[in-house]
Amino acid sequence: MIKHSIALTRQSQGLWFIVNKGRLYMTEDGLLPQGRLGSLAIAVDPEQICWLGEYQQQPCYLVVDHDQVTDDSVWHSARNLLNQDEMLFQLAARALQVALFLQTHRFCGQCGSAMHLVNWELAALCNKCGHRCYPRIAPCVLVGISRPGQILLARSTRHKAGFFSILAGFVESAETLEQAAVREVKEEVGVKISHLRYMGSQPWPFPHSLMTGFTANYQGGDIVCQPNEIAEAAWFDLTKLPEVPPVETLSGKIIRYLQQKNSR
Ligand SMILES: [Zn+2]
């Protein structure tokens, strides 16, 4: 639950998640600023601050900074927090997604009137037509496909050469997570899978995904890449992998889980 109006003064202490266009303000040491509101390096209107939660007994606040970025070097991706602390990354994910919600729901998508924030839940409401919006969350499936000793990895057209991961895709309207997993794998690399097993989930604020992870068994079919999305895909020996996502990400966790399972 987010409180929209908190009695903050320049003396208020906290850990500050300052967001500008999907990026976070970080100090020279790569940390989030903490301490008094008045000591922050940017101009902040205390009315514009949202409470996010607590981290190590410290209150955490979101500050949405709409100003033009002058010094690019202080704005960083939340990915930088992934290897610091899972809880910190989760708070950052919340900050980024709430900031995006506030920025993109100023006007009603149904009638075009100005919207305002509901004071008891995180929602935007149009007084004219009653349209109510909540922060968007886009569910996405990750599927680690294996056959004895091997894993199917693909390189997205968005990734550099040599970097591979498990398959991923967005859930479509009125689809279950399992149906999405089977469909995405078929579409992206042309193979059939079976025995889907749920592995966990991870908020992914780029910009508002919720990753859900599965493992699956290879059932049949040759690899045929979908040209728009997949640059290359292949079976890799689980003992000899290319560069893959770090263990802090859900895809990285699934790959290492299949590796460990193979070595047992
Ligand atoms: Zn409206």
Side-chain angles (χ1 to χ4, degrees):
M1 174 69 199
I2 300 248
K3 296 171 203 162
H4 299 295
S5 50
I6 328 130
L8 281 173
T9 68
R10 300 256 150 227
Q11 303 306 316
S12 297
Q13 300 269 346
L15 184 61
W16 304 93
F17 293 74
I18 307 166
V19 177
N20 184 308
K21 298 183 180 68
R23 292 187 297 169
L24 283 165
Y25 183 96
M26 289 184 200
T27 64
E28 278 178 12
D29 313 317
L31 302 171
L32 294 166
Q34 53 180 320
R36 282 185 308 112
L37 173 60
S39 68
L40 294 186
I42 64 159
V44 179
D45 175 0
E47 298 281 297
Q48 298 285 312
I49 293 171
C50 283
W51 183 81
L52 287 170
E54 276 194 1
Y55 178 74
Q56 297 178 345
Q57 280 107 45
Q58 246 190 128
C60 299
Y61 300 103
L62 160 67
V63 179
V64 183
D65 179 22
H66 290 293
D67 286 348
Q68 287 297 320
V69 169
T70 46
D71 181 4
D72 212 42
S73 67
V74 297
W75 299 97
H76 299 276
S77 166
R79 283 182 175 85
N80 295 11
L81 297 175
L82 257 178
N83 57 8
Q84 284 188 29
D85 187 319
E86 205 173 315
M87 175 78 190
L88 206 56
F89 178 74
Q90 202 171 352
L91 284 160
R94 189 163 171 79
L96 291 170
Q97 289 180 244
V98 172
L100 183 70
F101 173 68
L102 299 176
Q103 269 166 28
T104 54
H105 288 79
R106 294 183 299 141
F107 297 97
C108 176
Q110 188 159 258
C111 78
S113 304
M115 293 189 105
H116 69 270
L117 288 173
V118 177
N119 62 11
W120 60 273
E121 62 174 354
L122 184 58
L125 179 68
C126 172
N127 275 348
K128 197 160 180 206
C129 76
H131 183 50
R132 187 185 288 246
C133 293
Y134 296 91
R136 271 195 292 170
I137 298 169
C140 183
V141 287
L142 300 170
V143 196
I145 307 162
S146 64
R147 64 185 188 189
Q150 292 191 311
I151 183 169
L152 202 167
L153 297 175
R155 180 169 71 84
S156 149
T157 48
R158 290 170 288 115
H159 286 137
K160 61 177 181 177
F163 182 88
F164 286 79
S165 187
I166 55 177
L167 291 156
F170 286 105
V171 179
E172 292 185 348
S173 301
E175 196 173 42
T176 66
L177 296 175
E178 293 82 356
Q179 286 166 341
V182 170
R183 176 188 52 75
E184 275 291 339
V185 168
K186 186 83 181 103
E187 281 175 8
E188 292 194 341
V189 291
V191 306
K192 280 188 183 167
I193 54 172
S194 65
H195 296 85
L196 277 172
R197 236 184 98 211
Y198 178 70
M199 296 295 290
S201 62
Q202 183 177 41
W204 199 244
F206 310 106
H208 43 60
S209 297
L210 172 65
M211 296 299 185
T212 62
F214 294 86
T215 58
N217 292 354
Y218 168 71
Q219 207 189 9
D222 293 329
I223 295 175
V224 181
C225 298
Q226 188 182 47
N228 294 335
E229 299 214 20
I230 306 293
E232 53 181 324
W235 290 101
F236 289 86
D237 287 345
L238 278 157
T239 52
K240 224 167 58 191
L241 293 181
E243 189 189 345
V244 294
V247 70
E248 293 84 9
T249 64
L250 184 56
S251 44
K253 276 195 184 81
I254 292 171
I255 292 168
R256 278 146 193 96
Y257 166 81
L258 289 172
Q259 251 184 332
Q260 279 164 15
K261 200 172 147 213
N262 179 58
S263 66
R264 283 201 292 269

